[in-house]
Amino acid sequence: MPDALISIVIPCRNEAANLPLLIDEIGAAMAGRNFELIVVNDGSTDDTASVLAAQAALRPFPVRELRHQKSAGQSLSVRSGAWAARGSIVATIDGDGQNDPQYIPLLIDALRQAGPDFGAAQGQRLKRRDSKIKQLASRFANWLRNAILHDETRDTGCGLKAVHTDILRKLPFFDGTHRFVPALVIQEGYRVVHCDVVDRSRRHGKSNYGIFDRGLQGVLDLAGVWWLRRRRRRMPKVEEISRG
């Protein structure tokens, strides 16, 4: 259904300087499509709220703000957006401007064309603009995760994703879910399609998370997801049998 509503979710914290241009780019990339924009303001202490109020008044498409009283992290921000979404597909993009919105339609179309056996489309970054040490840390983390979980995904940390809304809502959410979406979607009995995307440099501000914080937390998260996949059986497809 090409004209079905798409919900684009942007988890962000203190990205007031990046949001207006990012919303401009999303509007251009999604021209002619039916979509809503859900910005999850994750306990920002800058002017994010006033920027979003101004943007909502300017745009011809819905710009909705969900506000966390305190910062809960990227994964739980995606959860808030997923449960508020009115669209049949949720597309996610980071609020720092490093993800290029031109790839959102590519992910949506790839997911739709892949068929009912596929639950998500995952962006995989090329030409990373992060520091060399962050790239090396990310490369090792992705190798380790794939070696243990076998999710066949080169880069799960990319914020560009498209997931069927009903499937996304089924996933277990914790502080780190966004890095394990392919493995968790596979656990639900679906496949994942991958799309290469080109990364960009952040325009304003700095990352809210450090390399070592992410690394230590990621090891614990990986152990938890491994345990979950070992203990939770793959969900069967359920069909009700009609007998007149």
Side-chain angles (χ1 to χ4, degrees):
M1 299 177 64
D3 60 344
L5 180 67
I6 300 296
S7 297
I8 299 175
V9 173
I10 306 177
C12 73
R13 181 171 182 266
N14 294 336
E15 300 289 0
N18 288 308
L19 285 171
L21 181 54
L22 181 61
I23 294 173
D24 271 345
E25 293 177 322
I26 292 173
M30 295 295 290
R33 296 182 184 237
N34 185 18
F35 73 100
E36 64 174 358
L37 193 60
I38 302 174
V39 183
V40 184
N41 180 356
D42 186 36
S44 295
T45 56
D46 64 357
D47 294 329
T48 292
S50 58
V51 166
L52 289 175
Q55 291 296 314
L58 289 172
R59 304 295 174 175
F61 48 84
V63 177
R64 302 167 58 193
E65 179 188 1
L66 304 181
R67 193 176 303 177
H68 290 171
Q69 186 177 15
K70 294 182 179 179
S71 178
Q74 184 171 347
S75 292
L76 296 183
S77 295
V78 171
R79 179 187 185 276
S80 295
W83 280 99
R86 297 172 181 143
S88 58
I89 290 176
V90 169
T92 65
I93 183 170
D94 290 347
D96 59 12
Q98 285 192 258
N99 298 152
D100 192 333
Q102 69 171 315
Y103 295 105
I104 296 176
L106 176 71
L107 289 163
I108 293 166
D109 292 343
L111 179 57
R112 284 173 167 165
Q113 292 164 11
D117 291 337
F118 287 77
Q122 171 69 54
Q124 300 191 128
R125 291 167 289 187
L126 301 172
K127 302 178 182 179
R128 295 284 299 273
R129 299 303 180 94
D130 291 322
S131 66
K132 182 59 68 174
I133 189 171
K134 187 176 286 189
Q135 290 182 45
L136 290 172
S138 178
R139 192 175 303 167
F140 174 75
N142 279 304
W143 172 83
L144 182 63
R145 188 208 65 258
N146 194 26
I148 293 174
L149 300 181
H150 306 291
D151 59 12
E152 300 179 359
T153 302
R154 188 180 73 242
D155 175 23
T156 64
C158 179
L160 284 163
K161 298 175 174 67
V163 189
H164 289 295
T165 305
D166 58 337
I167 296 174
L168 183 58
R169 290 173 177 170
K170 292 177 184 178
L171 304 186
F173 278 92
F174 51 89
D175 189 10
T177 295
H178 65 282
R179 291 189 291 270
F180 297 95
V181 166
L184 295 171
V185 167
I186 291 169
Q187 179 64 31
E188 292 296 329
Y190 297 91
R191 299 171 65 190
V192 177
V193 62
H194 301 92
C195 300
D196 287 339
V197 303
V198 178
D199 203 25
R200 317 190 287 192
S201 298
R202 167 186 273 274
R203 296 188 182 98
H204 304 283
K206 61 181 181 179
S207 174
N208 291 302
Y209 305 99
I211 297 171
F212 297 106
D213 291 341
R214 247 188 299 201
L216 292 172
Q217 180 178 310
V219 170
L220 295 174
D221 291 343
L222 179 58
V225 174
W226 175 84
W227 178 88
L228 179 66
R229 294 193 68 183
R230 292 277 294 180
R231 299 300 299 162
R232 184 183 181 194
R233 302 190 63 179
R234 179 173 293 186
M235 295 296 102
K237 290 190 170 58
V238 180
E239 178 185 4
E240 183 174 356
I241 306 302
S242 176
R243 294 190 172 89

